[in-house]
Amino acid sequence: MNSLKPSIKRVTGPSGGPLRAISYARVSSEEQAQNGVSLGDQATFIARGVEARLGVGNVRIVAELSDPGITGARGPSAYDVIDDGTICPHKSHRPGLTKALQMLLDDEADVLVVYNFSRLYRDGTMGAGLVDRILKPRGQDLISIQEPVDVYTPAGMLQMVVLGGASKYQIASGNQVIRDNLRERKVDGGWLGTPPYGWRWAKKDGRPESRTRTIEPIPEQINHVREVANSYLAGHSEGNVAKLLNARGIPFILKKEVNGSRTATWTKVHVRILLRNAAHAGQIMLDGVLKPGLHYGDRAYDLETYEQIQETLTSRRTRFRGVKNERPEMMLAGLVTCGSCGERLAARFSDGLRCYTCRGQKGDAVSKHVWVNAQTLEMAVLHEVAKVAALPEVLEAARTRIGLSARQGHEALFQEVEQVRDRVAAFKLQKQNALRQLREGFLSDELFKMQIEAISSDELLVKSRFEELELALSGSADVEKLERRALESLNSFQTVWDHLVPCERSQLLRTVVEKLEITDLDSHSVASIKLHLMPEVVQPLPRIVAARNGLATGLESITSSELACLWHLGQGKLPSEGALAMGISRSSFSGMVTRAARRLDAKDSKEAVRKARAWVIRSQHLLPLTGAQGRRRKPRFALSALEATAIDLRKKGLSADEVRDQFGISTDRVRKLLAEADAKMLAQESSNTGKS
């Protein structure tokens, strides 16, 4: 940015020529463009006014810029100029003004001309900052056609700020009047906003009423609203309801175009929005409370049904909302407190490490900042949560819940099967009664035949439904198998934890953790963990010191897997034995040991083990000392199952086309499989020959 600050503004352009001027215009809406001063009119007034102000021939407009339909409260200002003399990209809400400011920063113009100061900014202080930070340092000027103000003088600067304040007051007063009027109309039960799906603005004598009055149902769409509500309450998910509507060819009409086109396909989002809208129950929202609207008499369903829908939506929600439920590094955020000052610890990253920190010393003068490794703290908490999960009363409640959940989906099917069987028995009785009436002469042959055909048609439909139910119930064995596996997984808390998504893990911790406090001692930190139904325990944690200075070294920077590697070496095991115990490769084991030694500033692994011995012994119950046992590497020239089967079929004399019929793949794919298998077998033979 140019640091020169001339004492006077420019009077001529470069090389003594006319001043270079930028014409800038803005309107907030189409209505303002039609009823007020349009963009074209502003440009005309600017061209005439600037010549009248500076003289004919003394100014040349080098750019006519405008921002149609953008409010004056948005856009870049002088405070959004970064060090390299450009505007912050995320502040470019007004392309015309952004380009004008960039031209001024690049010294491509001498004067910025507007119709009035409100076209530039609604806030006069932003205009004053523009003059003080951009225009004055470069000797450039700002001219308003309607307001003859010299912005270089203190009086002119004051006038611009006052005019901006008056404009803001006028807008705020008008907005308040509009809000009061809309509230009064809403108190009367009128509908505000766009009518939802299934509704339109009420008409009177063939002409639309005011949009702030009421809405009326669209007959063909309001029935779809009822069907959606009934299907959802019957047990269908939002996605299934959308599929049913699309299968029946029912279109969904958007009120606005999306990416230049309208969509007529239902999605689960559309269904969810429809179910959450209280307008279908004849209600409007006033101050956070539902009340009957003017369209209450035309409602699609009553308020009790709407409340039942909302309860079902809440109970079926599988993903909790909020940053804490979506970001794994925020798992314990809001639960951890500092033992010195009592403030909540904040989650942050430091040199690639997730940490919980206390940024202030608000307690005793000798209190210390708390700074702990997030992974280590989470492992300590999970170690205590696993004890809660192993309590007999918790396991019994979980078994009961799993059993109910596994059988809940089939109870409705079993009930419907009984109803279908009763209907089949009723059809049999109807046929017997018709035959008896024919024998007694109460029915003619023609009427008897018609009645039997009607009963047989209904019976055929019921039997087809019975077959569908039997097919659905045939999966009960799979459900029982899943239930048995779920009950077995309760004995391993780690298995249950691995199947939880981040939001479910966060909610679990917020349910069981009663107190979690970190205190920093001289040599290490301690975590006071109090869970519901369990006594308070104290766990030692490594304290972070070097990371405060931006250095990722010391015990605090070593991961739990690296500490586990050091533990195995401290037990006298070879690297290959430690790698086998942890279920990792030997190279990975050696790499983790090398990184741990470098962070501990140790010359070799033995010194690293000695430096970390105290903390490894203290926290060994939190370390992943064992891993996947018995995992073998795949042989170098091993055939896949598909390749081995193809070789066996070829040995039996089957052709490639016959193998294709066996596998259900193309002939080219079969030939490629056989070629790859032959190449592997040939390479294996060559390798064995070379070894011999």
Side-chain angles (χ1 to χ4, degrees):
M1 185 182 297
N2 191 356
S3 60
L4 298 178
K5 296 186 178 182
S7 58
I8 59 173
K9 55 189 174 182
R10 301 179 186 177
V11 294
T12 60
S15 303
L19 291 173
R20 300 165 298 173
I22 299 176
S23 171
Y24 177 76
R26 182 189 63 82
V27 292
S28 299
S29 62
E30 293 294 335
E31 182 180 358
Q32 188 181 38
Q34 295 175 2
N35 300 330
V37 183
S38 64
L39 294 176
D41 293 339
Q42 291 184 42
T44 302
F45 292 149
I46 289 173
R48 295 175 182 175
V50 72
E51 289 186 352
R53 182 77 62 86
L54 301 177
V56 178
N58 294 333
V59 63
R60 176 172 59 90
I61 296 179
V62 295
E64 290 187 358
L65 306 176
S66 62
D67 285 321
I70 302 179
T71 177
R74 302 177 60 186
S77 66
Y79 301 96
D80 299 322
V81 179
I82 55 182
D83 295 337
D84 59 355
T86 59
I87 308 295
C88 290
H90 67 280
K91 291 293 185 179
S92 302
H93 302 302
R94 291 161 65 180
L97 181 59
T98 302
K99 185 175 181 180
L101 296 184
Q102 194 61 57
M103 291 179 66
L104 293 170
L105 289 170
D106 296 338
D107 204 13
E108 297 178 4
D110 306 314
V111 183
L112 176 62
V113 188
V114 294
Y115 181 65
N116 56 43
F117 290 131
S118 66
R119 300 301 89 200
L120 187 61
Y121 294 114
R122 285 293 184 182
D123 189 350
T125 57
M126 295 178 68
L130 170 65
V131 173
D132 189 55
R133 289 175 172 264
I134 295 181
L135 300 182
K136 277 188 176 182
R138 293 166 177 76
Q140 297 163 344
D141 197 5
L142 173 63
I143 295 178
S144 172
I145 301 302
Q146 277 193 329
E147 300 142 346
V149 175
D150 187 357
V151 295
Y152 263 65
T153 63
M157 189 74 72
L158 177 61
Q159 292 181 41
M160 184 171 60
V161 174
V162 171
L163 290 172
S167 177
K168 289 182 63 177
Y169 173 76
Q170 180 184 5
I171 294 175
S173 300
N175 291 341
Q176 186 61 41
V177 172
I178 293 174
R179 285 193 293 267
D180 292 342
N181 291 336
L182 293 179
R183 175 178 172 77
E184 290 298 326
R185 294 177 182 180
K186 202 169 185 179
V187 169
D188 295 337
W191 178 264
L192 298 182
T194 304
Y197 178 86
W199 300 84
R200 62 190 175 194
W201 295 114
K203 297 181 179 180
K204 184 177 182 181
D205 298 333
R207 293 178 299 177
E209 284 191 0
S210 172
R211 288 195 170 188
T212 55
R213 293 302 301 162
T214 187
I215 53 179
E216 63 181 8
I218 303 175
E220 60 273 14
Q221 293 185 6
I222 202 67
N223 293 329
H224 301 158
V225 174
R226 297 189 181 98
E227 292 177 6
V228 168
N230 295 334
S231 300
Y232 186 74
L233 291 177
H236 292 280
S237 64
E238 301 162 11
N240 287 340
V241 173
K243 291 180 181 178
L244 293 174
L245 295 174
N246 293 328
R248 293 176 53 188
I250 299 175
F252 180 85
I253 307 298
L254 288 178
K255 300 299 180 181
K256 296 181 180 180
E257 292 187 355
V258 178
N259 296 329
S261 62
R262 291 180 181 271
T263 178
T265 303
W266 285 86
T267 64
K268 62 180 182 180
V269 176
H270 297 150
V271 174
R272 187 182 304 121
I273 293 174
L274 188 148
L275 293 172
R276 290 187 179 279
N277 202 320
H280 306 303
Q283 307 291 315
I284 63 172
M285 185 70 69
L286 181 63
D287 298 334
V289 180
L290 293 177
K291 60 165 290 185
L294 294 177
H295 65 290
Y296 182 78
D298 298 323
R299 61 190 182 277
Y301 41 77
D302 54 16
L303 185 59
E304 294 181 359
T305 303
Y306 173 77
E307 293 176 349
Q308 185 179 358
I309 292 173
Q310 304 314 304
E311 293 177 359
T312 307
L313 284 170
T314 303
S315 62
R316 292 183 182 179
R317 189 173 68 189
T318 58
R319 184 171 182 83
F320 298 94
R321 299 175 182 175
V323 176
K324 294 180 181 179
N325 298 318
E326 297 174 357
R327 294 175 57 183
E329 65 270 14
M330 303 288 287
M331 188 183 302
L332 294 175
L335 297 178
V336 195
T337 58
C338 176
S340 299
C341 60
E343 293 294 323
R344 295 188 183 276
L345 271 62
R348 59 168 296 182
F349 281 91
S350 176
D351 292 330
L353 298 176
R354 293 190 296 116
C355 307
Y356 290 101
T357 66
C358 178
R359 301 180 180 178
Q361 297 177 341
K362 298 183 179 180
D364 188 20
V366 297
S367 65
K368 303 174 182 178
H369 291 283
V370 173
W371 198 316
V372 296
N373 190 313
Q375 183 181 9
T376 305
L377 178 60
E378 290 166 3
M379 292 177 60
V381 174
L382 292 181
H383 184 266
E384 300 302 321
V385 174
K387 297 180 181 179
V388 177
L391 293 177
E393 53 268 29
V394 175
L395 291 176
E396 185 62 28
R399 292 190 181 96
T400 304
R401 183 67 178 271
I402 290 175
L404 292 176
S405 300
R407 292 185 293 270
Q408 185 177 6
H410 288 272
E411 289 181 356
L413 295 179
F414 281 119
Q415 294 177 0
E416 189 174 356
V417 167
E418 296 297 329
Q419 295 175 0
V420 170
R421 287 175 178 173
D422 294 341
R423 293 187 64 184
V424 172
F427 288 140
K428 185 177 181 180
L429 292 177
Q430 292 177 10
K431 288 183 179 180
Q432 293 176 357
N433 292 334
L435 182 60
R436 180 176 54 80
Q437 292 178 4
L438 176 64
R439 292 174 179 176
E440 295 177 357
F442 292 103
L443 289 177
S444 63
D445 294 341
E446 185 177 356
L447 291 176
F448 173 76
K449 184 177 180 180
M450 293 175 59
Q451 191 170 0
I452 291 298
E453 289 179 353
I455 295 174
S456 300
S457 177
D458 295 340
E459 186 179 12
L460 182 62
L461 294 176
V462 173
K463 286 184 177 180
S464 63
R465 177 57 182 167
F466 184 75
E467 293 176 356
E468 294 177 358
L469 293 174
E470 285 187 337
L471 182 62
L473 289 174
S474 63
S476 59
D478 296 335
V479 174
E480 293 176 358
K481 183 178 179 180
L482 292 174
E483 179 183 358
R484 184 169 59 255
R485 290 177 58 185
L487 293 174
E488 293 174 355
S489 66
L490 290 178
N491 299 325
S492 173
F493 173 76
Q494 188 62 41
T495 303
V496 178
W497 181 261
D498 292 340
H499 282 80
L500 299 179
V501 297
C503 63
E504 294 172 335
R505 294 179 179 181
S506 178
Q507 291 298 321
L508 171 62
L509 294 177
R510 279 162 174 72
T511 302
V512 300
V513 175
E514 182 177 349
K515 173 189 174 183
L516 183 55
E517 187 177 85
I518 310 298
T519 304
D520 201 358
L521 304 180
D522 293 335
S523 59
H524 61 279
S525 300
V526 294
S528 301
I529 306 173
K530 175 66 174 70
L531 306 182
H532 295 286
L533 307 178
M534 298 292 289
E536 182 175 349
V537 297
V538 177
Q539 288 283 358
L541 300 173
R543 55 181 295 210
I544 292 182
V545 179
R548 300 176 190 174
N549 301 323
L551 303 176
T553 59
L555 276 174
E556 67 280 353
S557 62
I558 300 179
T559 64
S560 58
S561 298
E562 293 169 352
L563 287 175
C565 294
L566 296 179
W567 182 87
H568 284 292
L569 293 179
Q571 297 297 314
K573 295 182 180 179
L574 297 175
S576 58
E577 296 174 344
L580 181 62
M582 296 179 63
I584 59 178
S585 65
R586 188 186 182 285
S587 59
S588 299
F589 185 93
S590 301
M592 285 190 282
V593 172
T594 302
R595 287 194 296 271
R598 184 175 64 250
R599 292 174 180 174
L600 290 173
D601 195 18
K603 61 182 180 180
D604 53 20
S605 59
K606 293 183 179 179
E607 185 178 355
V609 171
R610 181 179 56 79
K611 288 187 175 182
R613 179 174 298 164
W615 169 244
V616 168
I617 295 175
R618 187 183 296 131
S619 61
Q620 59 182 342
H621 64 286
L622 303 176
L623 303 180
L625 301 178
T626 59
Q629 298 291 335
R631 184 173 62 183
R632 297 181 179 179
R633 289 187 177 182
K634 186 178 180 181
R636 182 178 179 185
F637 304 109
L639 298 178
S640 65
L642 202 59
E643 292 171 347
T645 307
I647 292 293
D648 293 339
L649 293 177
R650 187 178 63 179
K651 290 180 179 179
K652 294 179 181 180
L654 273 67
S655 64
D657 292 337
E658 292 173 338
V659 175
R660 176 200 63 190
D661 298 335
Q662 292 281 345
F663 286 173
I665 59 179
S666 64
T667 306
D668 294 338
R669 177 60 177 158
V670 171
R671 291 172 180 168
K672 187 176 180 181
L673 281 173
L674 293 172
E676 293 176 353
D678 292 338
K680 290 182 179 180
M681 294 173 64
L682 181 61
Q684 185 177 7
E685 292 177 0
S686 301
S687 177
N688 294 336
T689 303
K691 291 180 180 179
S692 62

